[in-house]
Amino acid sequence: MGFLVLSAFATLAILSPALGAQVSSTPAQTFTGIGGSGAWWPYDLYNFPDSVRQNVSNLLFSDSGLGLTSYRWNVGAGGVNVSNPVRAPQTFYTGPGTYNWNADAQGVYFLRQAAQHGVPGLTMFANSAPAPLTKDKTSCNSQFVTGSGNAYGTFLADVLQHFINEGIPLNYVSPMNEPDSGFGPSPCGQEGMYVPASQRAEVINGLWNALSSRGLQGRVGILADESNSLSSARNEYATWLPQVVDKVAFLVHHTYDFPSDATYASYISFVKSNYPNLTTRMSEICCSLGNADGTGRGWSGGYDPTITNGLMWTTMLYQSFLVAGEPHYDFWTLLSSGIGCSPLSNSNCVTTANSNGWNDGVIYYDPDYASNGNHALYLTKHFWTFKHFGNFIKPGSQRRPITGTGANNFTLAVSSQNNYFIISTNPTNSASTLPLTFPETVCATAGVRTSASEDFASIAKATNSGGTFQLPLAPMSITTYTFKKGSC
Ligand SMILES: *[C@@H]1O[C@H](CO)[C@@H](O)[C@H](O)[C@H]1NC(C)=O
Ligand SMILES: *[C@@H]1O[C@H](CO)[C@@H](O)[C@H](O)[C@H]1NC(C)=O
Ligand SMILES: *[C@@H]1O[C@H](CO)[C@@H](O)[C@H](O)[C@H]1NC(C)=O
Ligand SMILES: *[C@@H]1O[C@H](CO)[C@@H](O)[C@H](O)[C@H]1NC(C)=O
């Protein structure tokens, strides 16, 4: 009997060619958003001509651009003791229960743009409490004051209520971004408030109470604790999280430790076993060089606008989605002036890597715009590779695992109501083809590719040979193939 079964399998294997990889019929996670933060570029971009500001909004929030579905607005703390004016957003706070709603016109402008474009995930996040509420009355190099949880929560909830009443459907609030540091010494490079783990439950309780008393508690979810790295997040949860575990909507973390797959997977299983009701989200990252396949990545300065860096960032997204199974990914500042060179004096500089700039944006602008009047926007390859995720991973769509020969951690299957999107990076210098089958009848409809020479360029759709689709993957590229559910 055993012999017969074996020989039947052997015959099958000889008669049918390798099926290649298979898209599973069982969904993995449901996606909630792809986005980034409105810090600190709004201060500069607000000074640009309105046509350019509109262009920025379209490039970020409409599908002709990135199609982001998450936007993180930075509510200012007044910038007290912050030396860089671009990183010193004004605060609405003028005293207990009193506000200047004309403050931070820059940040509010782009928040309104995100809302007008229908971005579904709108977060208000704070790097610090308003200066008067902190220990040293500054917006950095200071600390949260024990006993001020209700006052700080009142401020945050009043601001949320004001903008919700205006019609901006803010649905998340994050009261402490990277609470392990006050970002001193003073004068500081940015706002920041040290909130030791032992104080975090008070921050969340104060905010929860203030939201509840305004009827906003079911409407605005609390995100915490925005730890800079997975290791500090994990080490500190026991100190604060059990006290407020029912008050946190999503456990959000940054990945500035650029974790290995094993470290990331271990963090996820730690959360699953200790806090089974909570889902984690990746909410901030920037600033890495490295290779297209993700090796060599790590926090550093340096500007690399090329396909190498664009593909390197795709490996970070795949890691969060495939290895960690997370539903959400936010990049950090979206726009940056950290080009590290002067585009008007050297026209090649925006497309060439240099060590003076930073990979902290996907759209760049001239740091000297105020004096030279250059209001051009420069899109890096990271913009175009990020567009594959922003355009094709919408909230409510689900990941489908891919198994079998050719499956890898650089290929993502997204199932929406009517389509499958296969997003795949080929970080090598050789062309390859992924053979792929689906758990239901599908019709190949389109393909788009970003490579050294292409920016989201239309390419031929996948071809069907006997039910197995062939997906060509050009060297050093990211490609998305679209398949309509049902027959052609
Ligand atoms: C803020 O800046 C002032 C003026 O330089 C300085 O005296 C003070 O120590 C700073 N405060 C903090 C908390 O660093
Ligand atoms: C998870 O949430 C459910 C429903 O709110 C609750 O009954 C349960 O105790 C929670 N489990 C843990 C481990 O917190
Ligand atoms: C928006 O900016 C991009 C990038 O610089 C440019 O290619 C495009 O033409 C601009 N669109 C408009 C409508 O100004
Ligand atoms: C993806 O990465 C994880 C962790 O490194 C590994 O266990 C898994 O086998 C990889 N999946 C594929 C399809 O290569």
Side-chain angles (χ1 to χ4, degrees):
M1 195 61 195
F3 173 77
L4 282 178
V5 170
L6 264 178
S7 80
F9 270 118
T11 309
L12 256 180
I14 289 160
L15 290 181
S16 53
L19 284 179
Q22 293 109 44
V23 175
S24 170
S25 58
T26 310
Q29 74 268 34
T30 300
F31 294 107
T32 59
I34 304 286
S37 290
W40 293 287
W41 53 270
Y43 180 91
D44 284 330
L45 267 291
Y46 187 69
N47 299 326
F48 281 44
D50 196 53
S51 60
V52 182
R53 301 192 301 195
Q54 291 297 317
N55 196 13
V56 168
S57 302
N58 284 322
L59 288 168
L60 296 178
F61 306 129
S62 82
D63 270 346
S64 61
L66 295 175
L68 298 181
T69 48
S70 164
Y71 183 66
R72 291 165 54 84
W73 164 52
N74 177 208
V75 62
V80 178
N81 280 38
V82 175
S83 56
N84 181 348
V86 175
R87 298 181 175 190
Q90 295 170 343
T91 181
F92 303 110
Y93 185 89
T94 55
T98 62
Y99 304 98
N100 168 18
W101 297 120
N102 296 321
D104 190 26
Q106 300 91 345
V108 170
Y109 176 89
F110 287 101
L111 171 65
R112 289 191 179 124
Q113 288 294 313
Q116 280 164 22
H117 281 82
V119 172
L122 295 175
T123 298
M124 176 176 94
F125 80 92
N127 285 318
S128 169
L133 295 180
T134 74
K135 175 170 147 291
D136 299 293
K137 318 286 184 226
T138 55
S139 314
C140 67
N141 199 32
S142 187
Q143 187 178 335
F144 176 77
V145 180
T146 295
S148 71
N150 287 333
Y152 184 34
T154 295
F155 162 75
L156 293 169
D158 280 348
V159 174
L160 286 163
Q161 179 151 63
H162 173 83
F163 287 102
I164 287 172
N165 288 348
E166 179 192 308
I168 297 176
L170 285 152
N171 43 10
Y172 293 105
V173 56
S174 170
M176 44 188 166
N177 197 54
E178 301 196 344
D180 284 304
S181 171
F183 288 86
S186 176
C188 318
Q190 66 163 86
E191 293 188 336
M193 174 173 69
Y194 178 42
V195 189
S198 58
Q199 290 184 322
R200 291 177 202 169
E202 186 192 337
V203 171
I204 289 166
N205 280 322
L207 177 54
W208 171 272
N209 293 340
L211 290 174
S212 297
S213 67
R214 285 159 189 73
L216 292 176
Q217 173 265 315
R219 173 161 184 168
V220 184
I222 299 175
L223 306 181
D225 62 355
E226 306 257 16
S227 280
N228 168 290
S229 67
L230 294 184
S231 57
S232 51
R234 175 180 177 151
N235 291 339
E236 292 167 353
Y237 285 157
T239 307
W240 64 273
L241 186 51
Q243 301 163 60
V244 289
V245 70
D246 298 332
K247 296 174 180 166
V248 172
F250 285 95
L251 207 46
V252 297
H253 64 78
H254 304 176
T255 42
Y256 287 103
D257 44 355
F258 291 84
S260 67
D261 285 358
T263 302
Y264 211 148
S266 154
Y267 163 81
I268 295 295
S269 63
F270 173 82
V271 171
K272 280 203 164 86
S273 57
N274 289 282
Y275 310 103
N277 283 355
L278 285 177
T279 300
T280 66
R281 284 184 176 184
M282 211 305 286
S283 59
E284 189 191 311
I285 188 63
C286 76
C287 309
S288 173
L289 297 170
N291 305 309
D293 66 0
T295 56
R297 65 192 176 201
W299 196 85
S300 82
Y303 171 76
D304 181 357
T306 71
I307 191 67
T308 302
N309 200 253
L311 295 179
M312 188 285 294
W313 285 114
T314 73
T315 70
M316 295 287 290
L317 284 118
Y318 295 125
Q319 187 189 43
S320 291
F321 294 142
L322 296 167
V323 175
E326 292 183 325
H328 195 105
Y329 191 96
D330 290 310
F331 190 65
W332 178 218
T333 61
L334 294 174
L335 273 78
S336 168
S337 64
I339 318 181
C341 64
S342 178
L344 290 189
S345 41
N346 173 0
S347 61
N348 288 329
C349 89
V350 290
T351 53
T352 310
N354 69 62
S355 57
N356 299 323
W358 289 86
N359 287 319
D360 59 351
V362 298
I363 302 173
Y364 285 78
Y365 57 94
D366 192 332
D368 299 320
Y369 75 91
S371 53
N372 66 19
N374 177 17
H375 296 122
L377 302 173
Y378 303 104
L379 310 185
T380 60
K381 287 293 176 182
H382 186 187
F383 174 91
W384 297 106
T385 62
F386 204 34
K387 181 171 164 66
H388 286 257
F389 297 88
N391 275 204
F392 297 116
I393 301 182
K394 297 299 182 184
S397 63
Q398 295 176 316
R399 183 172 75 83
R400 293 287 185 92
I402 299 176
T403 57
T405 311
N408 58 44
N409 278 327
F410 298 145
T411 304
L412 188 61
V414 180
S415 170
S416 70
Q417 192 179 353
N418 299 316
N419 294 293
Y420 286 98
F421 305 108
I422 307 298
I423 307 172
S424 186
T425 290
N426 177 358
T428 76
N429 290 314
S430 318
S432 60
T433 296
L434 174 68
L436 191 66
T437 57
F438 289 83
E440 60 182 303
T441 301
V442 298
C443 173
T445 54
V448 283
R449 185 164 65 210
T450 297
S451 64
S453 61
E454 297 158 309
D455 294 331
F456 211 75
S458 285
I459 58 163
K461 60 194 184 183
T463 53
N464 182 352
S465 53
T468 300
F469 288 88
Q470 304 295 328
L471 284 65
L473 304 172
M476 289 290 282
S477 72
I478 179 170
T479 308
T480 303
Y481 287 104
T482 301
F483 300 84
K484 178 172 73 83
K485 292 182 177 175
S487 51
C488 288

